[in-house]
Amino acid sequence: MTEKEYDQLVKKLSPPSPIGKDCLNAFWIGGLICVLGQLLINGYSALGLEKTDASTAASMSLVALSALLTGLSVYDDIAKIAGAGTLVPITGFANAVAAPAVEFKTEGMILGTAAKMFTIAGPVIVYGVSAGVVYGIIYWITTLF
């Protein structure tokens, strides 16, 4: 079988991708996650937190909720429908940290959960911390003069 024949066979047997439906699902589910975040900010503000503190508390709540839903295998079901709609908000990052930890828990606490927890999100965390340190040094040097 040639490469061209193989490509034709794959196109013939593969179901067409419902890109419109996928985009709509990503949009409305991602939007609902953002609405939940705004409701949390409003709720924390109503409890007396300042806007920045309320935003921080809302982010922490979304991360905790995402990690909990990942542990209960609910987040994956939502992601099957929403696609990128669950990856873009902060909840997707929490899922990226929690999912490998859940997946490798059978290998034990140290070699499974702890070692695999940051396989996906680890480079992002390292880059963010490193960029923050470099920015802090540059800022400190520029304020000396």
Side-chain angles (χ1 to χ4, degrees):
M1 179 177 279
T2 67
E3 188 175 332
K4 187 175 181 180
E5 291 172 334
Y6 179 75
D7 286 342
Q8 290 174 348
L9 180 64
V10 168
K11 287 179 184 176
K12 178 182 170 187
L13 296 176
S14 298
S17 177
I19 194 163
K21 178 184 163 199
D22 290 346
C23 288
L24 182 64
N25 285 339
F27 177 78
W28 75 267
I29 293 177
L32 283 178
I33 292 171
C34 294
V35 167
L36 175 61
Q38 187 62 52
L39 289 173
L40 287 169
I41 291 171
N42 294 349
Y44 287 127
S45 293
L47 292 174
L49 291 178
E50 293 183 24
K51 186 176 180 179
T52 55
D53 294 335
S55 297
T56 301
S59 295
M60 291 170 31
S61 298
L62 287 172
V63 167
L65 181 62
S66 174
L68 176 67
L69 292 177
T70 298
L72 297 173
S73 297
V74 174
Y75 199 88
D76 291 338
D77 295 336
I78 297 169
K80 285 177 187 173
I81 298 167
T86 57
L87 296 177
V88 176
I90 193 170
T91 54
F93 185 75
N95 175 261
V97 173
V102 171
E103 183 178 343
F104 292 102
K105 70 181 177 184
T106 57
E107 295 180 22
M109 281 296 278
I110 302 300
L111 296 176
T113 302
K116 302 291 184 180
M117 187 180 305
F118 298 106
T119 54
I120 295 173
V124 176
I125 294 170
V126 169
Y127 177 78
V129 170
S130 301
V133 168
V134 169
Y135 175 77
I137 291 170
I138 292 170
Y139 179 76
W140 177 69
I141 290 171
T142 59
T143 58
L144 290 176
F145 303 107

